Amino acid sequence: MPDIDRLGRLQAQLRDFAAQRDWDQFHTPKNLAMALAAEAGELVEPFQWLTPEQSARLPECTWAEVELEAADVLLYLLRLCDKLGIDLVAAGEKKLKLNAQRYPIDRVRGKALKHDRL
Amino acid sequence: MPDIDRLGRLQAQLRDFAAQRDWDQFHTPKNLAMALAAEAGELVEPFQWLTPEQSARLPECTWAEVELEAADVLLYLLRLCDKLGIDLVAAGEKKLKLNAQRYPIDRVRGKALKHDRL
Amino acid sequence: MPDIDRLGRLQAQLRDFAAQRDWDQFHTPKNLAMALAAEAGELVEPFQWLTPEQSARLPECTWAEVELEAADVLLYLLRLCDKLGIDLVAAGEKKLKLNAQRYPIDRVRGKALKHDRL
Amino acid sequence: MPDIDRLGRLQAQLRDFAAQRDWDQFHTPKNLAMALAAEAGELVEPFQWLTPEQSARLPECTWAEVELEAADVLLYLLRLCDKLGIDLVAAGEKKLKLNAQRYPIDRVRGKALKHDRL
């Protein structure tokens, strides 16, 4: 199934999931942003004591944990965007174009600098 | 264009974006998880002093800020999953199924409880 | 016991705690900042579905959870500052003075705006 | 001046700072936890592309940035604890004792494992 259907279907399923549980009362954009931040914290946690090299070769159980935490971030991100009428993929495409302008290849090659410090 | 193409294309564009800038050296899963957490913090920031009601009716400039911060979270999430070989949408679908088991409708209706406290 | 002794003693105890466990190899500033972010996520989590009013009248079990998460943030903050040679309390005093300049009483009374938007 | 006075004085100054600006309306524990998470994200950001080694030898400008972000985390942590009636230093002492029980020296030496996986 094409992914607009998959992402859109997932977003619609999240909407139903919340409606069936009468959870829309909790799902204000403010609360969803908090929940996303909490999940981002859980996504960071398995990496915190790893070397950069170890983080690229995760043991299976850690990989599976990261997969679920990444999923949680996606679910809250989709839900937040649904509530705010943001087209998430279009926003990503727009931001990537902005990043291409902010970080010209010849000025940032091999350097990790913020655009306001170039 | 169907969205699997759009998401997959965005992920491929991110790969090229990093390669052209010789940024793969910085994009370890550990570092990408940190960057995602930093962006999640920026996504929380515009909501922190708003009432729940205000957060649902954002002024245009705040909405546009949230759109870009949500995009940043998506971009790092796609990049992290690319580096780890995680299929992000499939992970989201799997997690939603797990949530449906953990939060049976008749036990959680109208209640915001963690599954381990039901 | 005066608190400089208490905070300084706590910081020294954390140093011993890590040394006894041979954990200094893990306690780079980078890793400690990650751990702090993960704990900040855990501190947010108990509040995410609460109304602002509910958050001010926590049930005892939630209060106790928040107390421990706040403690975790403090411990990593002390440890990070110890590793970097930052005097945490002096830094707080300095930042509060800066905030007093950035947010003049007569310009911000009753308004929650960032200083760069005043 | 002993630090209990310094920390307690800083907490009292924060209370006055908010009262003078009529900001108590914004400073619910929920909002303060969000603000702390946003600051934790800002504290992570300067470290995200650094190697562990680089993070231990920060350039002066990055060090100064980290000092201010650490201060922001402290200020919101003090404010949150003030609002909830949590004694922050006592909480830290209590948590360190709990950690000593959870992580016995002879079982965790040289290992970075969560207590529930020992």
Side-chain angles (χ1 to χ4, degrees):
Chain A
M1 182 183 301
D3 197 25
I4 193 158
D5 297 336
R6 282 177 74 201
L7 253 201
R9 192 178 57 157
L10 190 54
Q11 205 165 30
Q13 286 173 329
L14 286 167
R15 215 179 291 140
D16 292 345
F17 187 90
Q20 288 163 347
R21 284 160 184 79
D22 195 16
W23 280 1
D24 277 282
Q25 59 183 311
F26 303 119
H27 287 188
T28 62
K30 181 184 178 90
N31 290 1
L32 292 166
M34 291 184 87
L36 191 154
E39 296 299 342
E42 293 190 26
L43 183 58
V44 156
E45 198 266 345
F47 292 108
Q48 67 196 12
W49 308 128
L50 302 186
T51 63
E53 296 72 29
Q54 288 170 331
S55 82
R57 294 174 279 105
L58 297 178
E60 178 60 27
C61 64
T62 310
W63 188 92
E65 184 186 352
V66 169
E67 185 193 25
L68 286 181
E69 300 302 349
D72 279 327
V73 173
L74 177 66
L75 296 185
Y76 281 123
L77 192 59
L78 280 173
R79 189 89 181 110
L80 176 66
C81 288
D82 197 31
K83 286 286 181 181
L84 288 172
I86 291 170
D87 180 333
L88 179 60
V89 179
E93 291 166 342
K94 180 157 62 166
K95 189 54 170 40
L96 182 54
K97 273 184 199 140
L98 185 60
N99 285 348
Q101 291 167 8
R102 284 182 172 174
Y103 299 99
I105 293 175
D106 57 345
R107 296 191 60 192
V108 301
R109 198 193 305 272
K111 294 181 215 157
L113 292 173
K114 282 202 76 170
H115 62 89
D116 51 8
R117 296 191 188 165
L118 288 179
Chain B
M1 183 183 301
D3 199 26
I4 193 156
D5 298 336
R6 282 177 75 202
L7 253 200
R9 192 178 56 156
L10 190 53
Q11 206 166 29
Q13 286 173 328
L14 287 167
R15 217 178 290 140
D16 291 344
F17 186 90
Q20 289 163 346
R21 285 159 184 78
D22 195 17
W23 281 1
D24 278 282
Q25 59 184 310
F26 304 118
H27 286 189
T28 62
K30 179 184 180 91
N31 290 2
L32 292 166
M34 290 184 88
L36 191 153
E39 296 299 342
E42 293 190 26
L43 183 58
V44 156
E45 199 265 347
F47 292 109
Q48 68 196 12
W49 308 126
L50 302 185
T51 64
E53 295 73 28
Q54 288 170 331
S55 82
R57 293 174 281 104
L58 296 178
E60 178 60 26
C61 63
T62 309
W63 188 93
E65 184 186 352
V66 169
E67 185 193 25
L68 285 182
E69 300 300 351
D72 279 328
V73 173
L74 177 66
L75 296 185
Y76 282 122
L77 192 59
L78 279 172
R79 190 88 182 110
L80 176 66
C81 288
D82 197 31
K83 285 286 181 182
L84 289 172
I86 290 170
D87 179 333
L88 179 60
V89 180
E93 291 167 342
K94 180 157 64 167
K95 188 55 170 39
L96 182 55
K97 272 184 199 140
L98 185 60
N99 285 348
Q101 290 167 8
R102 284 182 172 175
Y103 299 99
I105 293 175
D106 57 344
R107 297 192 60 191
V108 302
R109 197 193 306 273
K111 293 181 216 158
L113 292 173
K114 282 201 74 169
H115 63 90
D116 51 10
R117 297 193 186 163
L118 288 180
Chain C
M1 183 184 300
D3 197 26
I4 193 156
D5 297 336
R6 282 177 75 203
L7 254 200
R9 192 180 55 156
L10 190 54
Q11 205 165 31
Q13 286 173 328
L14 287 167
R15 216 179 292 140
D16 291 345
F17 186 90
Q20 290 162 346
R21 285 160 184 78
D22 194 18
W23 280 0
D24 277 282
Q25 58 184 312
F26 304 118
H27 287 190
T28 62
K30 180 184 180 90
N31 290 1
L32 292 165
M34 289 183 88
L36 191 153
E39 295 299 342
E42 293 190 26
L43 183 58
V44 157
E45 199 265 345
F47 292 108
Q48 67 195 15
W49 308 128
L50 302 185
T51 64
E53 296 72 30
Q54 287 170 332
S55 82
R57 295 174 278 104
L58 297 177
E60 178 59 27
C61 63
T62 309
W63 189 92
E65 183 186 352
V66 169
E67 186 193 24
L68 286 182
E69 300 300 350
D72 279 327
V73 173
L74 177 66
L75 297 185
Y76 282 123
L77 192 58
L78 280 172
R79 189 87 181 110
L80 176 66
C81 288
D82 197 30
K83 285 287 180 179
L84 288 173
I86 290 170
D87 179 332
L88 179 60
V89 180
E93 291 166 342
K94 180 157 62 165
K95 188 54 169 41
L96 182 55
K97 272 183 199 142
L98 184 60
N99 285 348
Q101 291 168 7
R102 284 182 172 174
Y103 299 99
I105 293 175
D106 57 346
R107 296 193 60 193
V108 302
R109 196 193 307 274
K111 292 181 218 159
L113 292 173
K114 283 201 75 168
H115 63 89
D116 51 9
R117 297 195 186 161
L118 287 179
Chain D
M1 181 183 302
D3 196 27
I4 193 155
D5 297 337
R6 281 178 76 203
L7 253 201
R9 192 179 55 156
L10 189 54
Q11 205 164 31
Q13 287 173 327
L14 286 168
R15 214 179 293 139
D16 292 346
F17 186 90
Q20 289 163 346
R21 285 159 184 78
D22 195 17
W23 280 0
D24 277 282
Q25 59 183 310
F26 304 118
H27 287 189
T28 61
K30 179 185 180 90
N31 291 1
L32 292 166
M34 289 184 89
L36 191 154
E39 296 299 342
E42 293 190 25
L43 183 58
V44 156
E45 199 266 346
F47 292 109
Q48 66 196 13
W49 309 127
L50 302 185
T51 63
E53 295 72 29
Q54 287 170 332
S55 82
R57 294 173 280 105
L58 297 178
E60 177 59 26
C61 64
T62 309
W63 188 91
E65 185 186 352
V66 169
E67 184 193 26
L68 285 182
E69 300 301 349
D72 279 326
V73 173
L74 177 67
L75 296 185
Y76 281 123
L77 192 59
L78 279 172
R79 189 87 181 110
L80 175 66
C81 288
D82 196 31
K83 285 287 180 178
L84 289 173
I86 290 170
D87 180 334
L88 180 59
V89 179
E93 292 167 342
K94 180 158 61 165
K95 188 56 169 43
L96 181 55
K97 272 184 198 140
L98 185 59
N99 285 347
Q101 291 168 7
R102 284 183 172 176
Y103 299 99
I105 293 174
D106 56 346
R107 297 193 58 193
V108 302
R109 197 193 307 273
K111 293 182 217 158
L113 292 173
K114 282 202 74 169
H115 63 89
D116 50 10
R117 297 193 187 163
L118 289 179

